[in-house]
Structures are given as C-alpha cells and as structure tokens.
Amino acid sequence: MLKAPDHQVAGHQARDGSLGPLVDGSGHFYKPLQNLDRGSKELAFYTSFNSMNGIPPRIRRFFPSFHGSETFQASDGSGLLPHLVLEDLVFGRKNPSIMDVKIGSRTWYPGVSDDYIQKCFTKDMKTTSMSLGFRLSGLQVYGSEESGYWKPSKKAVQSFTVEDVRLALRKFVSSDVGWASDKDTLPDCSLATRIYGGPSGVLAQLIELKEWFEDQTIFHFNSCSVLVLYEKESALRGKTHGAAVKLVDFAHVLDGNGIIDHNFLGGLCSLIKFISGIVAEANKALHGLESSADGLELH
Amino acid sequence: MLKAPDHQVAGHQARDGSLGPLVDGSGHFYKPLQNLDRGSKELAFYTSFNSMNGIPPRIRRFFPSFHGSETFQASDGSGLLPHLVLEDLVFGRKNPSIMDVKIGSRTWYPGVSDDYIQKCFTKDMKTTSMSLGFRLSGLQVYGSEESGYWKPSKKAVQSFTVEDVRLALRKFVSSDVGWASDKDTLPDCSLATRIYGGPSGVLAQLIELKEWFEDQTIFHFNSCSVLVLYEKESALRGKTHGAAVKLVDFAHVLDGNGIIDHNFLGGLCSLIKFISGIVAEANKALHGLESSADGLELH
C-alpha cells in the first residue's frame, strides 16, 4: 500500500531501490529517520513542538501534523527503519504546483563539524542562499492537461541564479506554459494577485509567519524549507485553489535560547519582498497605475 | 581648533599621534579617508546617498548629515589627507550615553579577499555577531556627576557574551550606577520605558528603520553600525533626553541590486527583540501585570 510520493520536488526519493519517504494514499507521509542523528533530531523536534502549549493555531497550521513514528521495512529494502508519520501535504490536491524554498543565507550553524560547515558554506555561496537569503531546492509548476508539469531537474534548480529564481517565482503563478519550452515567452503572472496576493494568499501567510519569527525565540530553524503549494486548475476556474505555506525539514532545528532566528527571518523577508514585488506589478498591470498601492498593502 | 572627539566609543582614535577622526567643536566631525579603498567607498556612499531622491525624511534622519570632504593635515601628522565632513552626532549633548552596535551576523561579503573573509568570520564567531545577529563595538553609559561614565575597554567589549550584551542593554537605561563597580547590583532599568519605549523612543526609531529595510533594495549595509544616544541627566529631570538612533560607518556598503539587506535586517530584528523585551519587563514592573501588553505594543 505504501508507495513513493507522486509530487516530491526535493530531498531523497524512494525510487529505484533508494531510501526515501513513502505515502499511504490516505493522507500520511512516512519519512525515514535519516542517518547520523538527524532523524532523531527531527523526531525530537516534532515531539516537542506537538506537545508545546502557547503555539497559536494560526502558526501551528504552517507545520505538517505529526502522528508519531512507526517502524517498518525501508524503501531501499535495507531492513526495518523508524519513520516519522506526518501529514501528506499534497493529499487530495489535484495537479499541485509546489515550490520548496530553503530559507536562510547560512544553512550551517555553530557546533557542527568543520567539514559540514565547509560543505554548506560552499553550497550557500554557489547557490542563491548567500545573496538572496534563500534558494529554491525544487519545484514543479503545473501547466495544463496537455503540457503537464514544468519540473526542472535537481541539478538545474541548484544552478539557478538570482534572475532564474525571480523568473521561477513568476512562472509559478502564470497560466501560460509557453515559457516552459520557449525561452522567449515570458510568464504572464495571471494568477499572481489570486495565489500570492489576497487576504488568504501566499504573501499574507508568509507575513503571518514572519511576524511570529520576529517574536519567537524558542527554535532556530536551520536549513529548513518553506513549501508553497496551490492548485492551478481550480484557480483558473475561480474555485478554491488551496494556496498554502508550510514549513518542512526539521533535522537541524536548535533551541533558540532567547534569541530570534535572525538567519531565517532575514531570508523570509527577502522572499516576501520578491513575492510582494510580483503582486504589486500584477496589480499594476491589471488595474493601471492608480491602484498600484494595493500590491504594496501587505508590506 | 580641531581636536579628538570626547565621546568616541569605537573605531580608530586620534590620540597619541594616531590617525583618527577630529571635531571642530561647532558641529562637524572630520573622518579621515581610511586606507585601501574603504575611505573612497564611504565618500562615494555619502555622495550618492546625499543626492538621492526618494529617501523619505523619516529615513534620512537616521544618517549623519554630510558636507563634502576637506583635505588637511591628518591627526597622526603623516601629511595631508582628505577627510569626510560629517555631522558631529554628539555636538551639544551633555554627558551623552552612547552605544555602537555593529549589525549583521556576517560582517564580510562576497567579493572580498579570502583573508578578509577569514578575519571577519573569526571575529563574528568569537563575538556575539553570529549568535545574536549583532555585537557591541563600544559603549559609554553616563552614571552621575560623581560616578562619571561606565566605559568598558575595547578588549572587554569585544569579549562580551550574549548575557553581557543583554546586561549592557539594561545598564544603558539604568539610573543606578552601583552596577558599574559592583557585580551584585543589578541595573534598575528605570529609564527603559522613557528612552527605549514611547512614541519617539529608541524602539520606535528602530522599528521605523526596520520597515525601511524590509523594503529598500538600493544598498547593502555591510559591517555598518547603529549608534544609540541619549542624555541621562535630562531624562532623569523629565526633560528632553534626545534619544536617537543613527547609522554610521559606510566603508563596506554595496549596491543592493534589487535584493533586501537580509543580513542587516535579521540582526536589526534581533536587537529590536532584545530592547522590546526590556521595555515590556519595565512596563510590567511599573504598572503591574494588567498593562504588560503596553510594552509589546510596538512589536
């Protein structure tokens, strides 16, 4: 009954005998505990977070729900392995468009080995992490029934420049898929005001999350990702599009010790600025100059 | 007529034949152009910033006013040297209390030499920059006519731990000076609500600055400091205390290229969180639990 997820855009994949997460087709996502102590750290985070009082519901909704751990045969056939039992975030979604955005200009943190620092540091410099405060770890953008998904390879995403990231954030909310195959076709951003903008859109959710990060000193979310999801077909038909922001990957979470996570917060603000820029531009295009302030409303 | 400033808390000092800034006693601060290309970079920043349209007055007030450059005999007697002519930020202030807070968890930036990166990196790790997102570069806190200033040495300030920083931020707004000489006397934070809090206090100014940093993508203020100043005697007498926040040191400013300065912003938010915590606590102590929300008003 367990199988590799259909819509995974980043991380290890349970295909061709490799170790990766599995889904049960009824709303659960099973994530194998990673080697070293990362898996147990992530389990400890979910356990602690789950039992914590004082996390308001408006913040708790950003986290996948957690249902403990279960031990069973791992996807690579290597034997019994404990798995985190999490909410399958794409369950029930038809043709979801998904972005995995790793937040923070620095993905390492004090206390880890010099080798690990060096590895992370090199990758932060090579990707847009250092310059933008975030990088894309993976994405899939649904086009249409004919064109299917635009899903650049892991290698392609890893070599994204700042301009590539800017473009990908536009493509994510564009109806036209000509841009997937033709470099000269610019994304139309026709869904920007509805998916990114609006009172329950991505931008509003990111700002809610940001306000929490300005205040919370419980956790430092090192090397953690923001997942952005929505359903394009529903959006185009004017139906509920399920635009959602979720936090995932907690293998490197540390205690905040009374200090805010300024590394995550800075990167999150940078992502917010990019997305609010796209919304402002789309509003301007839709309504003309006189209402251009609308897009900036959420600044 | 030119002399070394009385109230300099960080940076090179024009004493004992060394190279440093000078003041003219009538409101001007002369900063020698530093070696390498730092001096010319700072001059270029001030020149560009000064002539820039679109910087609102509420933001411009955070910057020292700039009056071009003048060439004269340097303080170390080494010959003629160009000096930036800036506003003397402590001019007319009686016994000013001053903190120099270097903002950012990272003081280096891409494009500099490996040696420079390594030097900055080591210092960021040794000081609180990496953990807090900012470090104290220097401070002087006025006590009273009898006690004078508490002005820890450069070396002492550089070895401040997170707890030392937290304590210094409290001492800065305390009337009791017992703490300067006696480790068991805790600072009373009796001026916290007036200097840090209130509609024109330090916190309100820092939040105004933060809002600009969430939006501005013109400059990246690498290795730049926030200077916090006020006059304690006036504050204690209920008079205008001149609480002010200023930005200084622009030798490492780079173009923002359409990206916010997430490194500065994250550190600034961390400083804001520390200071708002002190205000909230002071409000609680003053008015009891029922009005504790006042201190959080500005979050």
Side-chain angles (χ1 to χ4, degrees):
Chain A
M1 286 182 319
L2 295 181
K3 58 169 195 140
D6 286 331
H7 302 294
Q8 203 183 333
V9 298
H12 303 285
Q13 308 233 349
R15 301 202 182 273
D16 311 320
S18 295
L19 183 63
L22 299 165
V23 290
D24 64 3
S26 58
H28 297 113
F29 182 90
Y30 299 86
K31 186 174 178 179
L33 263 65
Q34 291 177 64
N35 50 5
L36 303 170
D37 56 352
R38 288 182 204 173
S40 54
K41 270 192 185 166
E42 188 158 25
L43 175 60
F45 168 76
Y46 271 112
T47 308
S48 145
F49 184 80
N50 220 34
S51 68
M52 201 166 265
N53 297 319
I55 308 280
R58 67 173 199 282
I59 298 306
R60 210 171 265 285
R61 68 170 169 149
F62 293 123
F63 293 80
S65 56
F66 169 65
H67 310 284
S69 66
E70 271 180 37
T71 297
F72 53 80
Q73 180 71 30
S75 66
D76 61 352
S78 62
L80 294 174
L81 206 66
H83 290 67
L84 298 170
V85 187
L86 301 171
E87 176 187 358
D88 180 0
L89 297 170
V90 298
F91 177 69
R93 287 179 182 268
K94 202 184 164 199
N95 301 321
S97 291
I98 311 174
M99 275 192 298
D100 182 304
V101 192
K102 195 183 276 279
I103 306 289
S105 66
R106 164 173 61 73
T107 56
W108 58 273
Y109 43 96
V112 293
S113 72
D114 284 352
D115 277 0
Y116 185 76
I117 292 182
Q118 196 53 55
K119 196 185 125 199
C120 291
F121 185 87
T122 305
K123 200 161 178 188
D124 295 345
M125 290 288 274
K126 270 189 180 167
T127 63
T128 63
S129 291
M130 184 67 73
S131 53
L132 284 187
F134 64 88
R135 69 173 176 251
L136 289 180
S137 287
L139 78 161
Q140 66 175 31
V141 186
Y142 185 69
S144 64
E145 212 171 317
E146 297 78 49
S147 63
Y149 287 100
W150 176 57
K151 189 173 181 176
S153 71
K154 191 175 172 178
K155 209 179 153 185
V157 174
Q158 280 180 345
S159 65
F160 270 11
T161 63
V162 170
E163 282 319 303
D164 292 334
V165 168
R166 204 185 289 276
L167 194 57
L169 290 173
R170 286 173 204 265
K171 288 178 179 180
F172 192 70
V173 288
S174 290
S175 57
D176 184 357
V177 291
W179 44 257
S181 50
D182 177 11
K183 285 214 162 189
D184 294 328
T185 305
L186 289 173
D188 62 7
C189 293
S190 64
L191 292 167
T193 55
R194 299 197 46 221
I195 303 302
Y196 287 157
S200 61
V202 169
L203 192 52
Q205 294 183 49
L206 290 174
I207 288 169
E208 180 102 61
L209 188 61
K210 178 200 123 195
E211 284 165 2
W212 186 59
F213 269 88
E214 285 176 345
D215 193 50
Q216 76 86 13
T217 61
I218 317 166
F219 298 115
H220 283 192
F221 291 91
N222 301 298
S223 206
C224 176
S225 283
V226 155
L227 215 63
V228 183
L229 311 102
Y230 82 100
E231 291 166 71
K232 184 176 282 178
E233 280 176 316
S234 302
L236 287 171
R237 287 197 201 105
K239 292 186 185 166
T240 318
H241 45 66
V245 165
K246 300 285 177 178
L247 285 174
V248 295
D249 296 340
F250 306 109
H252 301 280
V253 171
L254 291 182
D255 280 352
N257 291 322
I259 301 163
I260 65 162
D261 188 349
H262 45 84
N263 179 56
F264 189 98
L265 178 57
L268 185 61
C269 288
S270 180
L271 177 63
I272 285 172
K273 174 66 183 171
F274 266 60
I275 290 182
S276 69
I278 295 171
V279 174
E281 214 176 74
N283 269 328
K284 215 163 137 180
L286 271 178
H287 307 296
L289 272 168
E290 78 281 3
S291 64
S292 69
D294 293 357
L296 299 165
E297 208 172 41
L298 285 162
H299 265 231
Chain B
M1 285 184 320
L2 296 180
K3 57 166 197 144
D6 286 331
H7 302 293
Q8 202 185 334
V9 299
H12 303 285
Q13 308 233 348
R15 300 201 182 274
D16 311 320
S18 295
L19 182 62
L22 299 165
V23 291
D24 64 3
S26 59
H28 296 114
F29 182 91
Y30 299 86
K31 186 174 180 181
L33 263 65
Q34 292 178 63
N35 49 5
L36 303 171
D37 56 352
R38 288 182 204 172
S40 54
K41 270 192 186 164
E42 188 158 26
L43 176 58
F45 167 77
Y46 272 112
T47 308
S48 144
F49 184 80
N50 221 34
S51 67
M52 201 166 265
N53 297 318
I55 308 280
R58 66 171 200 283
I59 298 305
R60 211 171 263 285
R61 67 169 169 151
F62 293 123
F63 293 80
S65 55
F66 169 67
H67 310 282
S69 66
E70 273 180 36
T71 297
F72 53 80
Q73 181 71 30
S75 65
D76 62 352
S78 63
L80 295 174
L81 206 65
H83 290 66
L84 298 170
V85 187
L86 302 171
E87 176 187 358
D88 181 0
L89 297 171
V90 299
F91 177 69
R93 288 179 181 267
K94 202 184 164 198
N95 301 323
S97 292
I98 310 174
M99 276 192 299
D100 183 305
V101 192
K102 196 183 276 279
I103 306 289
S105 66
R106 164 173 62 73
T107 57
W108 58 273
Y109 44 96
V112 293
S113 72
D114 284 352
D115 277 0
Y116 186 75
I117 292 181
Q118 197 52 55
K119 196 185 125 197
C120 292
F121 184 88
T122 304
K123 201 161 178 187
D124 296 344
M125 290 289 274
K126 269 189 181 168
T127 64
T128 63
S129 291
M130 184 67 73
S131 53
L132 284 187
F134 64 89
R135 68 173 177 251
L136 289 179
S137 287
L139 77 162
Q140 67 175 33
V141 185
Y142 185 70
S144 65
E145 213 172 317
E146 298 78 48
S147 65
Y149 288 99
W150 175 57
K151 189 174 181 175
S153 71
K154 191 175 171 179
K155 209 179 152 185
V157 174
Q158 281 180 345
S159 65
F160 271 11
T161 63
V162 169
E163 282 318 305
D164 293 333
V165 169
R166 204 185 289 276
L167 194 58
L169 290 173
R170 286 174 204 265
K171 288 177 178 180
F172 192 70
V173 288
S174 290
S175 58
D176 185 355
V177 290
W179 45 257
S181 51
D182 177 11
K183 285 215 163 188
D184 294 328
T185 305
L186 290 173
D188 63 7
C189 293
S190 63
L191 292 166
T193 55
R194 298 198 47 222
I195 303 302
Y196 287 157
S200 60
V202 170
L203 192 52
Q205 293 182 50
L206 290 174
I207 289 169
E208 180 103 61
L209 189 61
K210 178 199 123 195
E211 283 165 3
W212 186 59
F213 270 88
E214 285 176 345
D215 193 49
Q216 77 85 14
T217 60
I218 316 166
F219 298 115
H220 283 191
F221 291 91
N222 302 297
S223 205
C224 177
S225 283
V226 155
L227 215 64
V228 182
L229 311 103
Y230 82 99
E231 291 167 70
K232 183 176 283 178
E233 280 175 317
S234 301
L236 287 170
R237 288 198 201 106
K239 291 185 185 166
T240 318
H241 45 67
V245 165
K246 300 283 178 181
L247 286 175
V248 294
D249 296 342
F250 307 109
H252 302 279
V253 171
L254 291 183
D255 280 352
N257 290 321
I259 301 163
I260 64 162
D261 188 349
H262 45 85
N263 179 57
F264 189 99
L265 178 57
L268 185 61
C269 288
S270 180
L271 177 63
I272 285 172
K273 173 67 183 171
F274 267 60
I275 290 183
S276 70
I278 294 171
V279 173
E281 214 176 74
N283 269 328
K284 213 162 137 182
L286 272 179
H287 307 294
L289 272 167
E290 78 280 4
S291 65
S292 68
D294 292 358
L296 299 165
E297 207 173 42
L298 285 161
H299 264 227

